[in-house]
Amino acid sequence: TPQILENVEVKDKSIINSKKCKSAIKKSEKLIKNQGRMLIRKSGTEPKIRIMCESNNKNLILKCINIIKKTLK
């Protein structure tokens, strides 16, 4: 299964807990629900949020990643 891992540099890793980010994650997880999986987590060592997305539909992967990336800027 194709997998894409994106590391998004952020000023503050707690942005992942913001309402905007949480709802983007929910939206992405709904989109990919039956076609793949997603994992979003803080990096332990760097000021980054790691977004891993897996699906046979590459366009869906990119769409889901972008929905979340927009909220991390």
Side-chain angles (χ1 to χ4, degrees):
T1 306
Q3 183 185 77
I4 295 179
L5 174 66
E6 285 247 3
N7 294 309
V8 184
E9 206 159 305
V10 291
K11 285 188 192 88
D12 182 359
K13 288 190 275 191
S14 66
I15 191 168
I16 199 172
N17 299 318
S18 73
K19 267 189 180 161
K20 203 164 77 166
C21 191
K22 279 184 170 173
S23 71
I25 291 170
K26 271 193 187 132
K27 187 177 170 183
S28 296
E29 284 176 339
K30 253 185 203 158
L31 275 175
I32 205 161
K33 202 172 168 187
N34 302 315
Q35 298 178 61
R37 67 188 188 103
M38 284 194 91
L39 180 70
I40 298 98
R41 65 179 183 87
K42 298 176 193 175
S43 160
T45 52
E46 300 170 289
K48 290 180 180 171
I49 300 295
R50 304 196 193 284
I51 306 169
M52 188 283 295
C53 201
E54 219 175 60
S55 174
N56 286 322
N57 181 340
K58 198 169 179 191
N59 288 332
L60 183 64
I61 292 178
L62 297 172
K63 187 176 182 178
C64 289
I65 288 176
N66 284 328
I67 288 171
I68 296 169
K69 266 173 74 174
K70 272 185 217 150
T71 67
L72 298 174
K73 296 281 181 250

